Amino acid sequence: MCSCDKIFISEKPCQMDHLDRILLSGIYNVRKGKTQLHKWAERLVVLCGTCLIVSSVKDCQTGKMHILPLVGGKVEEVKRRQYSLAFSSAGAQAQTYLVSFETLAEYQRWQRQASKVVSQRISTVDLSCHSLEEVPEHLFYSQDITYLNLRHNFMQLERPGGLDTFYKFSQLKGLNLSHNKLGSFPVLLCEIPTLTELNLSCNGFQDLPSQIGSLLNLQTLCLDGNFLTTLPEELGNLQQLSSLGISFNNFSQIPEVYEKLTMLDKVFMAGNRVEVLNLGVLNRMSHIKHVDLRMNRLKTMIIENLEGNKYITHMDLRDNQLTDLDLSSFCNLEQLHCERNQLRELTLSGFSLRTLYANSNRLTTVNVYPVPSLLTSLELSRNLLECVPDWACEAKKIEILDVSYNLLTEVPMRILSSLSLRKLMLGHNHVQSLPTLVEHIPLEVLDVQHNLLTRLPDTLFSKALNLRYLNASANSLESLPSACAGEESLSALQLLYLTNNLLTDQCVPVLVGHPHLRILHLANNQLQTFPASKLNKLEQLEELNLSGNKLKTIPTTIANCKRLHTLVAHSNHISIFPEILQLPQIQFVDLSCNDLTEILIPEALPATLQDLDLTGNTNLVLEHKTLDTFSHITTLKIDQKPLPTTDSTVTSTFWSHGLAEMAGQRNKLCVSALAVDNFAEGVGAVYGMFDGDRNEELPRLLQCTMADVLLEEVQQSTNDTVFMANTFLVSHRKLGMAGQKLGSSALLCYIRPDTADPMNSFSLTVANVGTCQAVLCRGGRPVPLSKVFSLEQDPEEAQRVKDQKAIITEDNKVNGVTCCTRLLGCTYLYPWILPKPHISSTPLTIQDELLILGNKALWEHLSYTEAVNAVRHVQDPLAAAKKLCTLAQSYGCQDNVGAMVVYLNIGEEGCTCEMNGLTLPGPMGFASTAIIKDPPKPTTPSSSSGIASEFSSEMSTSEVSSEVGSTASDEHNTVGLDAGLLPRPERRCSLHPAPTSGVFQRQPSCATFSSNQSDNGLDSDDDQPVEGVMTNGSKVEVEVDIHCCRGRDLENSPTLPENSPAPCPEDRARGSLFGIRRQNSVNSGILLPVSKDRTELQKSPSTSCLYGKKLSNGSIVPLEDSLNLIEVATEAPKKKTGYFAAPTQLEPEDQFVIPHDLEEEVKEQMKHHQESRHEPEPSEEDRTELPEEFDTAL
């Protein structure tokens, strides 16, 4: 029905193979109408859904279609023509088509099927999200429609099928017109007396007409998300109305009409503007039992008299501004929600109280009288309680007690020995000891993490035989109580978390007393060994975390843990790979940051193995056979062999990063990270974190594209607020269709030279949307740099969303989709969900130690202070990131968790500039020239000559998309090994980028692509080697030069100072003079080797001029170079880019490496080669002139 309706409405041709629900089709003779005015013609006839479609045979794909609705119509036999049927639609203007069939079988089949369609009675029609302005007219001919869904359309009033004609639906009972932007209430809807359900939410109504009182049969009326301030008195005539929704409007008090609507038992007024609640009004509404006033502006309660309320049983006051709450007069109150207020004192009646939720307040006192004998659940977490209330200890039916994140110092014996308590949450308090258990208790879940415990009760495991979950992480435990005194253990413990304690090897034998243990976390303790005989008895073990200890081996008896699927043992001293590859269910193995040297693997790996992390094992060498065996693993993480580092690209020593991502109990990882240590030609760094919550597509897209966008934007503007905001908006747009219904949190951190002092300091710019956060450790203290955009943590954003009339569901999600108010993506939730980021900038100082990036799950379980203290003394950033994720999982995180730790070393002690006679910047900046006394010795062209640069293993996709050069020189002074005779440029650090001169540029670059295909994918016909092109295995390295011919700047170039030392002949032969100039706005440093053959350069005929334009690789030609003619070789291949363009990694076997014992011989041969190219020594006058300068990119 829906597909046919869309064709009917649009009146556009539709391809037949795209139609759904095709019942019958064929080519037959057709005549329109019952009269003889039309001739018979051959047509394509299709019975689709409830319509008959007739179209031309030749133009059936693009021609005009005639659609005949059959519901309520007729199918008759044509008596004057054999095997013919007449199809007629319903209504006064019914149309008829006569179809002649060739055989009796076809005739009978069509008659039988069409008769079923005609006799159908459609009761429900769903036309939501179709961008309709009116409904199809043929719907009015169906007298059986009882429910019509027109949600998310653009319905109009005065149209042939508009809202003013809906009175024609004589049987209509349910009508959904939400999200149609009507602006005013359609009065003619009040003339549909059969309506029982009407949804008009989110239409911008400011008032309701009095005629609404004529809908006497109305039972459900939804008016949420409008601008209503009052309700008409006539609404009280609707005595059958049992549900009235007026949430997220502008009401300042409960409408008086509620007193007349006696069939109502609930007041839905969330998200309004109620500031004062008169409890006397509720007392007069004896029929009201549930009151929902969450997300209002409640500050005070007014009690008119001492008369109690005996009717209200449920009240929701979440997210208001209450400081004190006294509901002791509500003697029948069973459930109260008052989370996220500012309550200091709470007073309730305990006669009927069953559940109380008062989390995230400032409570110091909670009074309930009398003792709530029916209370089953009590949640008082994140308050200021110093003790558990006495009345809670006396509650006989309490099953759940949550008093975590308070100021408790002790736990009452009556609580722990309760005969009804099954779940006790005591985490994040100041408890020093737990009382000793005397009697058996039914406790099943006990959480005492983040306290001051040094020991657990000796009888804990022997008396709490039902205990399944115990989390005692982040305490000072040195030992564990034994499970039982007898031979057979009755322990039911399955999940045990003991991370971050002081446990030693002596605690391991105790674990044997828990044979049903499935998950065991012993990370960050002081374990040195794990006895093999003890591990052998934990046969039910499924997840084992031993990271952050001092283990040297994992016992071989781990092979007996047949159900083990996760082993995490990073940051130990393990040197022998454990025997875990024989386990049939193993899925995740993390042995990073250990001392592994080799791996002995079986011939076949388990098919279940999905993730193997071996990074951080510096001495580990994997053979090709081992890598081939690991090839089927979905995720294999190993350290890349360091590539030969060119002098023009030096990894910054001012920052280094480590990344850890863990899926937890989710089947997929929806967190991605971005890390570029050398960004914008090595003068900055970019780090990012992206969390898609339930989708993994958007984080991957942002990971691959956001650095590219940032690189483009920083070249357009130097204002951090401008280029960061544009980066997020452009990235949001680039998500395309994927970003329509999916969304992702995004965090981006950009380190760059400070614009105020680019030579000696850096600044950090942070931008984020969603729940990913960045925290800077400055002097040992955390400095938050981000803002959490969620409804619960940002009242301003919550108010903005409410003002724009979004519907916030009871689980605090916008339209039930997300709790975030700003995301990249989720375009269909605009304007409630915005891509506008929060941006902050701070100058980095010598006190800044590290930067932590994490997603929502990380910061939900670790405070800023704890995260900083946990990693600030860890040497390896990878181990630090791993530790944060491990802590989060041990503290209760079951979701995806991601952490990145960036170590900062901002200061002169981190400088790695090579002196070599080059003057470092002082108070007056750089010297204009410098002399290299000891030029470096030549090696291979790919490593030290600077002729061809190669992709680093750390290079991200974003770098690749803008890395490839776009020009190539027609002339080369040196080719092959001769390039080694050129002096290598001075190595500079990011703190002291080398500025460039305004004279001449020479930028060797490298384009990497397939060796047997050109850029357009066609096979290459070039079989002969081309000068300037070096083949290297499967790669092709193209020498790309950008150089300028003689310009006016050359003639006015400054000469060398008179007191400057004269260069030696060897220096002159190698071009050892360097000119320095600034290249672009990103402060990229370029060192210029100086040659004397300046006047010999000629302009190539294949060049073109670029006057301050942006090149295809993203770089910008400085404006001061607009007079220079830049040679561009059109023969250089273009680099293809895309979302998932990845750099080609250099194979270690393809490197041209000179053996150590042959170095002297090679040097001697190169020296002879240099002498054979002897040139006349220039005169003294020639030495004083400024030679031609070359610009070599860092």
Side-chain angles (χ1 to χ4, degrees):
M1 175 79 184
C2 294
S3 60
C4 298
D5 289 336
K6 284 186 280 186
I7 298 172
F8 178 85
I9 297 164
S10 62
E11 297 183 357
K12 294 180 181 180
C14 178
Q15 294 185 4
M16 287 298 176
D17 54 357
H18 289 174
L19 294 176
D20 298 331
R21 302 170 60 194
I22 294 180
L23 303 178
L24 295 172
S25 63
I27 299 176
Y28 308 106
N29 289 324
V30 179
R31 192 183 76 184
K32 184 177 181 181
K34 296 181 179 180
T35 63
Q36 301 291 334
L37 297 178
H38 297 86
K39 296 182 180 180
W40 291 87
E42 196 175 58
R43 295 289 184 265
L44 175 64
V45 184
V46 178
L47 182 60
C48 176
T50 59
C51 297
L52 184 74
I53 304 175
V54 180
S55 63
S56 171
V57 177
K58 293 183 179 179
D59 303 325
C60 61
Q61 301 295 329
T62 58
K64 182 178 180 180
M65 292 183 182
H66 300 270
I67 300 175
L68 185 70
L70 295 179
V71 176
K74 298 179 182 179
V75 177
E76 301 175 320
E77 178 184 1
V78 180
K79 297 181 179 180
R80 298 181 180 181
R81 190 177 181 92
Q82 189 179 19
Y83 306 144
S84 298
L85 291 173
F87 298 87
S88 302
S89 61
Q93 298 180 354
Q95 294 182 347
T96 302
Y97 283 93
L98 277 62
V99 181
S100 177
F101 301 97
E102 296 179 357
T103 63
L104 177 63
E106 287 183 335
Y107 167 81
Q108 293 176 344
R109 185 167 63 252
W110 277 79
Q111 185 185 34
R112 184 170 53 252
Q113 193 69 46
S115 298
K116 293 180 181 180
V117 173
V118 169
S119 61
Q120 284 183 8
R121 293 294 180 262
I122 299 177
S123 60
T124 301
V125 177
D126 187 355
L127 294 175
S128 60
C129 305
H130 278 65
S131 300
L132 299 179
E133 295 183 353
E134 58 181 331
V135 298
E137 289 187 39
H138 70 270
L139 287 181
F140 296 107
Y141 304 136
S142 177
Q143 302 300 317
D144 301 305
I145 296 179
T146 58
Y147 182 82
L148 181 59
N149 185 1
L150 294 170
R151 180 177 60 93
H152 277 289
N153 281 290
F154 302 95
M155 296 300 297
Q156 303 294 322
L157 299 179
E158 300 176 356
R159 289 291 183 93
L163 297 179
D164 289 347
T165 60
F166 276 24
Y167 64 89
K168 297 179 181 179
F169 293 109
S170 59
Q171 303 296 326
L172 191 63
K173 294 183 178 181
L175 177 60
N176 189 343
L177 287 171
S178 61
H179 297 276
N180 270 271
K181 300 181 180 181
L182 298 177
S184 60
F185 192 97
V187 179
L188 291 181
L189 292 181
C190 301
E191 299 183 7
I192 309 177
T194 56
L195 277 179
T196 61
E197 178 182 346
L198 180 60
N199 190 338
L200 293 169
S201 60
C202 300
N203 277 292
F205 297 160
Q206 295 185 0
D207 51 35
L208 296 180
S210 59
Q211 292 88 332
I212 196 172
S214 61
L215 297 174
L216 299 179
N217 292 319
L218 201 62
Q219 300 176 9
T220 301
L221 177 60
C222 184
L223 298 169
D224 300 332
N226 286 288
F227 298 92
L228 300 175
T229 56
T230 59
L231 294 178
E233 295 182 2
E234 290 77 6
L235 196 64
N237 299 333
L238 309 182
Q239 292 301 309
Q240 297 189 33
L241 192 66
S242 59
S243 177
L244 174 61
I246 55 174
S247 298
F248 301 98
N249 279 276
N250 297 338
F251 291 97
S252 59
Q253 60 183 359
I254 299 177
E256 296 180 358
V257 73
Y258 268 94
E259 298 181 21
K260 300 179 181 180
L261 300 172
T262 56
M263 292 295 293
L264 293 178
D265 63 347
K266 299 178 181 179
V267 174
F268 295 110
M269 289 188 61
N272 279 277
R273 300 180 178 181
V274 180
E275 296 185 2
V276 179
L277 177 61
N278 190 339
L279 298 180
V281 175
L282 294 177
N283 293 338
R284 294 193 294 268
M285 302 177 186
S286 59
H287 53 282
I288 299 297
K289 295 182 179 180
H290 295 247
V291 178
D292 182 3
L293 291 172
R294 59 190 174 88
M295 302 188 75
N296 275 272
R297 302 175 181 177
L298 276 176
K299 296 180 180 180
T300 56
M301 300 276 195
I302 297 178
I303 302 178
E304 293 182 347
N305 49 53
L306 298 179
E307 182 181 357
N309 187 302
K310 302 179 182 179
Y311 316 109
I312 293 180
T313 60
H314 294 73
M315 182 169 284
D316 193 342
L317 301 174
R318 286 176 288 175
D319 298 288
N320 280 284
Q321 302 173 22
L322 295 169
T323 57
D324 296 287
L325 181 60
D326 186 353
L327 297 178
S328 56
S329 60
F330 288 65
C331 56
N332 283 337
L333 187 64
E334 297 179 5
Q335 177 177 299
L336 173 63
H337 279 277
C338 56
E339 302 99 306
R340 292 179 296 278
N341 279 273
Q342 302 174 17
L343 293 175
R344 295 187 296 267
E345 186 175 352
L346 176 63
T347 304
L348 301 174
S349 171
F351 284 108
S352 304
L353 191 63
R354 296 177 182 270
T355 54
L356 172 59
Y357 304 96
N359 306 329
S360 302
N361 282 284
R362 302 175 183 175
L363 288 172
T364 57
T365 304
V366 180
N367 299 315
V368 178
Y369 182 83
V371 174
S373 58
L374 301 177
L375 184 68
T376 59
S377 179
L378 176 60
E379 295 190 8
L380 299 172
S381 64
R382 300 184 186 275
N383 281 286
L384 302 176
L385 297 175
E386 297 182 356
C387 61
V388 180
D390 291 336
W391 54 266
C393 302
E394 299 176 5
K396 302 300 182 181
K397 294 185 178 181
I398 187 168
E399 297 180 0
I400 300 175
L401 176 60
D402 186 355
V403 287
S404 57
Y405 292 93
N406 277 282
L407 305 175
L408 303 180
T409 56
E410 60 179 2
V411 180
M413 179 64 184
R414 291 178 296 173
I415 283 292
L416 200 58
S417 60
S418 172
L419 298 180
S420 60
L421 192 63
R422 283 174 168 76
K423 182 178 181 180
L424 178 58
M425 311 295 288
L426 293 169
H428 297 271
N429 281 283
H430 305 297
V431 178
Q432 298 182 0
S433 62
L434 296 177
T436 302
L437 296 175
V438 179
E439 306 251 339
H440 289 280
I441 59 175
L443 194 64
E444 298 178 3
V445 176
L446 177 60
D447 190 338
V448 292
Q449 61 173 301
H450 287 86
N451 279 283
L452 304 175
L453 299 174
T454 57
R455 54 185 293 274
L456 295 174
D458 295 335
T459 57
L460 177 63
F461 296 129
S462 59
K463 298 299 181 181
L465 297 179
N466 293 333
L467 192 64
R468 297 180 294 101
Y469 175 97
L470 173 61
N471 194 331
S473 301
N475 281 281
S476 301
L477 299 178
E478 298 180 358
S479 61
L480 297 176
S482 59
C484 63
E487 294 182 358
E488 288 191 10
S489 174
L490 300 178
S491 172
L493 191 65
Q494 298 181 17
L495 293 85
L496 180 58
Y497 297 90
L498 298 169
T499 295
N500 206 10
N501 279 284
L502 303 175
L503 298 174
T504 60
D505 303 348
Q506 298 178 357
C507 74
V508 177
V510 180
L511 301 176
V512 180
H514 306 287
H516 302 289
L517 206 59
R518 296 190 297 109
I519 298 178
L520 176 60
H521 281 222
L522 288 169
N524 297 102
N525 280 281
Q526 299 180 4
L527 301 179
Q528 295 184 357
T529 59
F530 201 108
S533 60
K534 308 303 179 183
L535 185 59
N536 187 31
K537 297 182 180 181
L538 300 177
E539 298 179 354
Q540 304 294 323
L541 207 59
E542 298 178 7
E543 179 178 329
L544 178 61
N545 193 323
L546 298 172
S547 58
N549 285 282
K550 302 177 182 179
L551 298 175
K552 295 184 179 180
T553 58
I554 300 293
T556 57
T557 53
I558 196 174
N560 295 329
C561 303
K562 301 299 183 180
R563 297 187 178 183
L564 189 71
H565 58 72
T566 300
L567 173 63
V568 181
H570 63 80
S571 305
N572 280 281
H573 304 293
I574 300 174
S575 57
I576 301 176
F577 192 82
E579 298 181 5
I580 56 174
L581 298 181
Q582 303 285 355
L583 299 177
Q585 299 183 20
I586 192 68
Q587 298 178 12
F588 180 88
V589 179
D590 188 351
L591 293 171
S592 58
C593 302
N594 278 286
D595 299 329
L596 295 176
T597 56
E598 60 180 355
I599 299 178
L600 299 178
I601 61 175
E603 295 182 359
L605 295 180
T608 57
L609 186 60
Q610 300 177 4
D611 196 311
L612 178 60
D613 192 344
L614 300 174
T615 55
N617 291 278
T618 56
N619 298 324
L620 179 62
V621 178
L622 297 180
E623 300 178 353
H624 285 287
K625 181 180 179 181
T626 304
L627 293 175
D628 292 340
T629 307
F630 287 156
S631 60
H632 81 282
I633 302 177
T634 304
T635 305
L636 174 62
K637 301 177 183 178
I638 58 176
D639 290 329
Q640 296 288 340
K641 283 188 177 182
L643 298 176
T645 304
T646 62
D647 296 317
S648 58
T649 56
V650 179
T651 302
S652 173
T653 61
F654 292 97
W655 43 76
S656 59
H657 77 278
L659 171 64
E661 298 169 338
M662 297 183 181
Q665 297 186 6
R666 297 263 296 274
N667 293 328
K668 59 181 180 180
L669 183 65
C670 299
V671 178
S672 295
L674 169 66
V676 184
D677 287 326
N678 291 284
F679 184 73
E681 302 182 8
V683 297
V686 171
Y687 304 101
M689 183 73 67
F690 313 103
D691 187 353
D693 192 18
R694 298 292 173 180
N695 78 88
E696 56 184 342
E697 182 179 358
L698 257 61
R700 301 293 173 85
L701 294 178
L702 294 172
Q703 177 192 33
C704 295
T705 60
M706 211 157 185
D708 280 340
V709 178
L710 177 61
L711 183 61
E712 295 288 340
E713 295 301 329
V714 296
Q715 293 170 347
Q716 303 295 330
S717 173
T718 58
N719 187 301
D720 50 7
T721 303
V722 173
F723 67 69
M724 270 299 190
N726 290 342
T727 297
F728 273 69
L729 294 177
V730 173
S731 299
H732 172 76
R733 186 181 70 247
K734 282 180 173 291
L735 293 176
M737 293 300 297
Q740 292 290 325
K741 291 188 177 182
L742 302 178
S744 174
S745 298
L747 168 67
L748 202 61
C749 302
Y750 177 33
I751 304 176
R752 60 169 181 159
D754 197 336
T755 55
D757 187 10
M759 293 300 177
N760 296 292
S761 61
F762 294 96
S763 65
L764 172 63
T765 302
V766 178
N768 79 290
V769 293
T771 54
C772 293
Q773 301 180 63
V775 175
L776 179 67
C777 174
R778 174 167 291 175
R781 297 183 179 181
V783 179
L785 303 176
S786 309
K787 183 178 181 180
V788 180
F789 290 102
S790 69
L791 293 172
E792 295 183 358
Q793 301 186 39
D794 193 340
E796 295 180 359
E797 282 292 293
Q799 187 61 44
R800 177 185 65 82
V801 173
K802 286 195 302 179
D803 291 343
Q804 293 173 343
K805 302 307 173 184
I807 303 300
I808 301 175
T809 53
E810 291 189 1
D811 55 355
N812 262 4
K813 292 185 176 181
V814 180
N815 279 22
V817 176
T818 176
C819 63
C820 298
T821 59
R822 298 194 186 187
L823 292 172
L824 295 185
C826 280
T827 308
Y828 79 107
L829 290 178
Y830 178 85
W832 309 315
I833 307 298
L834 301 176
K836 182 180 179 181
H838 169 267
I839 303 173
S840 64
S841 294
T842 180
L844 295 179
T845 66
I846 195 172
Q847 295 181 340
D848 297 327
E849 303 175 20
L850 54 90
L851 177 67
I852 301 177
L853 288 73
N855 69 329
K856 176 183 178 181
L858 180 72
W859 300 116
E860 279 184 345
H861 295 86
L862 271 79
S863 64
Y864 300 146
T865 302
E866 183 178 6
V868 166
N869 293 337
V871 300
R872 61 180 303 224
H873 298 300
V874 180
Q875 300 296 325
D876 184 8
L878 174 61
K882 293 279 186 181
K883 183 177 181 179
L884 291 178
C885 290
T886 297
L887 291 178
Q889 288 189 331
S890 297
Y891 295 163
C893 177
Q894 299 180 358
D895 208 341
N896 291 170
V897 58
M900 183 185 298
V901 178
V902 182
Y903 280 1
L904 302 174
N905 185 23
I906 306 300
E908 290 294 340
E909 64 277 5
C911 177
T912 58
C913 297
E914 289 183 347
M915 296 296 292
N916 289 332
L918 185 63
T919 305
L920 289 177
M924 301 302 294
F926 281 92
S928 59
T929 58
I931 304 301
I932 297 182
K933 297 181 180 180
D934 299 318
K937 298 180 180 180
T939 55
T940 64
S942 63
S943 61
S944 64
S945 66
I947 293 298
S949 62
E950 299 167 347
F951 291 117
S952 169
S953 61
E954 292 292 330
M955 185 176 297
S956 69
T957 307
S958 60
E959 287 180 285
V960 176
S961 62
S962 60
E963 178 69 16
V964 178
S966 61
T967 59
S969 174
D970 293 328
E971 300 177 3
H972 302 284
N973 293 334
T974 58
V975 180
L977 286 175
D978 292 344
L981 302 180
L982 288 175
R984 64 180 174 90
E986 199 72 29
R987 187 177 66 196
R988 304 303 303 277
C989 67
S990 299
L991 188 61
H992 303 129
T996 62
S997 69
V999 181
F1000 182 85
Q1001 295 187 55
R1002 176 182 174 89
Q1003 288 188 271
S1005 182
C1006 172
T1008 304
F1009 51 93
S1010 175
S1011 60
N1012 61 348
Q1013 289 188 351
S1014 62
D1015 180 57
N1016 58 7
L1018 302 177
D1019 294 338
S1020 175
D1021 296 328
D1022 298 331
D1023 296 328
Q1024 299 298 327
V1026 182
E1027 183 179 5
V1029 179
M1030 295 164 285
T1031 60
N1032 186 9
S1034 61
K1035 296 175 58 181
V1036 174
E1037 299 172 352
V1038 180
E1039 181 183 349
V1040 181
D1041 297 340
I1042 303 175
H1043 53 89
C1044 306
C1045 68
R1046 195 175 196 177
R1048 274 181 276 179
D1049 290 341
L1050 293 175
E1051 300 175 0
N1052 301 325
S1053 300
T1055 58
L1056 290 175
E1058 296 180 359
N1059 56 355
S1060 61
C1064 61
E1066 183 179 359
D1067 292 336
R1068 291 192 304 272
R1070 301 192 178 199
S1072 58
L1073 290 181
F1074 279 73
I1076 302 175
R1077 62 177 291 253
R1078 184 164 304 280
Q1079 184 186 6
N1080 56 30
S1081 61
V1082 200
N1083 297 328
S1084 61
I1086 305 296
L1087 294 179
L1088 312 174
V1090 178
S1091 171
K1092 65 184 181 58
D1093 299 328
R1094 173 185 53 171
T1095 58
E1096 297 178 2
L1097 283 176
Q1098 301 296 331
K1099 187 176 185 294
S1100 173
S1102 62
T1103 60
S1104 62
C1105 299
L1106 299 178
Y1107 296 100
K1109 296 181 180 179
K1110 185 166 62 175
L1111 300 180
S1112 61
N1113 64 350
S1115 62
I1116 298 293
V1117 178
L1119 294 178
E1120 60 267 21
D1121 293 343
S1122 59
L1123 297 179
N1124 294 340
L1125 299 178
I1126 302 180
E1127 293 187 347
V1128 179
T1130 57
E1131 296 84 0
K1134 300 289 185 180
K1135 173 70 171 65
K1136 290 184 178 180
T1137 60
Y1139 278 143
F1140 299 99
T1144 304
Q1145 299 297 333
L1146 198 59
E1147 295 293 337
E1149 293 79 3
D1150 294 337
Q1151 301 299 319
F1152 179 33
V1153 180
I1154 300 176
H1156 181 72
D1157 54 345
L1158 297 179
E1159 286 185 0
E1160 296 299 328
E1161 182 178 352
V1162 172
K1163 293 175 183 177
E1164 189 65 25
Q1165 293 179 1
M1166 296 179 68
K1167 183 177 180 181
H1168 291 309
H1169 183 72
Q1170 177 186 0
E1171 294 175 354
S1172 63
R1173 297 170 54 88
H1174 177 73
E1175 297 180 0
E1177 184 174 345
S1179 62
E1180 197 68 27
E1181 291 78 5
D1182 295 333
R1183 297 180 186 177
T1184 59
E1185 295 181 1
L1186 182 63
E1188 182 183 30
E1189 300 183 359
F1190 292 88
D1191 190 346
T1192 304
L1194 275 176

